[in-house]
Amino acid sequence: MALNEPHKSRIIGHMNADHAKELEEYLRAFNGLSASAARGAQIADMTLDAMTIKTASGTHTVAITPPLSSATDARVRLVDMSQRAKQKLGLSDIVVSVFTRPQGVGVFSFLGVALFIVSAATYSLLQPGTAAWEVLDEVFPYGAAGYKWLVKAMVIPVLIIHVTEAWWLARTRLYTHGVEAGTGLWWLWVACTFMEGWPGVVRFDRLVEAERKKKEGAKH
């Protein structure tokens, strides 16, 4: 028994319009395509036991397992395949598509790191006899020489800590929640977390939790 044309057209239209991301995940999880090769996935045809999906990289056949017995099985089966694909790829069903600005302690952390970057960038300009040297000699607890020593001593630890925090966010959260590497959204989260540190990770987790509660609330 085959899918009748009206049902097939309705399923294909719905999947292509509203679930292109899931189609890409089918190709990545079940056919082994890379994210770039799976991009732009659209169903071209569908039978009870397979979907023919086209992307810029070519035409691919994804088996529907177990096969559909009729069109009425399609929604449940495709949702089940989506869940299995996400599990196989290590993806969450909560997708983050927005960036939120630093808040609270994150603002102070961001500004503190920004100030340190300015201090490190102007390190070589601070020399005895300059106005800045004289000011620091007056106001900094250990004088201008102590200020330069402190800035130099902090460069490597600050870089290591903040690069690690930004990497950790990208590795354990951004990929998992559907933020594709290299996109503008990905760079916003990574760059901001590099600047503010751990508060950026906490803010992302709160956003995920808010999205989870919103999704659960929609079920009731």
Side-chain angles (χ1 to χ4, degrees):
M1 183 173 127
L3 287 169
N4 65 57
E5 285 302 321
H7 282 155
K8 183 169 74 172
S9 296
R10 187 159 57 250
I11 294 167
I12 290 175
H14 172 67
M15 292 299 292
N16 287 344
D18 299 330
H19 297 284
K21 195 73 175 176
E22 282 80 359
L23 297 179
E24 293 179 9
E25 291 168 3
Y26 293 160
L27 291 169
R28 291 170 58 197
F30 305 131
N31 288 46
L33 269 65
S34 65
S36 58
R39 193 168 291 125
Q42 293 281 274
I43 301 178
D45 196 13
M46 184 175 180
T47 64
L48 291 171
D49 58 8
M51 290 176 283
T52 301
I53 301 178
K54 287 187 175 182
T55 70
S57 65
T59 301
H60 314 275
T61 300
V62 176
I64 298 175
T65 53
L68 305 174
S69 57
S70 69
T72 57
D73 293 341
R75 184 179 183 281
V76 172
R77 187 79 74 254
L78 294 177
V79 168
D80 177 66
M81 286 180 64
S82 176
Q83 291 172 343
R84 284 189 281 130
K86 288 182 187 299
Q87 185 175 23
K88 191 171 182 179
L89 294 170
L91 298 173
S92 170
D93 61 337
I94 303 299
V95 175
V96 170
S97 57
V98 297
F99 171 76
T100 57
R101 293 177 296 178
Q103 299 172 355
V105 68
V107 174
F108 293 101
S109 179
F110 187 103
L111 293 174
V113 173
L115 179 61
F116 177 76
I117 289 174
V118 171
S119 299
T122 58
Y123 178 87
S124 62
L125 301 178
L126 186 62
Q127 300 295 335
T130 62
W133 184 279
E134 298 300 328
V135 170
L136 283 169
D137 245 353
E138 290 292 330
V139 302
F140 198 72
Y142 299 99
Y147 168 87
K148 289 196 72 172
W149 177 89
L150 184 62
V151 169
K152 185 176 181 180
M154 288 177 63
V155 168
I156 299 302
V158 167
L159 277 176
I160 290 174
I161 291 169
H162 285 261
V163 166
T164 299
E165 287 168 331
W167 171 84
W168 185 250
L169 176 81
R171 179 69 180 82
T172 65
R173 280 138 169 104
L174 297 186
Y175 170 80
T176 301
H177 294 286
V179 182
E180 189 174 344
T183 60
L185 182 62
W186 186 89
W187 278 112
L188 274 173
W189 278 108
V190 169
C192 199
T193 300
F194 171 79
M195 292 296 291
E196 65 177 307
W198 194 252
V201 179
V202 173
R203 192 171 77 258
F204 187 87
D205 288 345
R206 286 176 179 166
L207 178 60
V208 169
E209 185 59 28
E211 290 296 319
R212 192 180 305 281
K213 288 180 179 178
K214 188 188 302 182
K215 186 171 184 177
E216 291 172 355
K219 295 177 181 178
H220 301 297

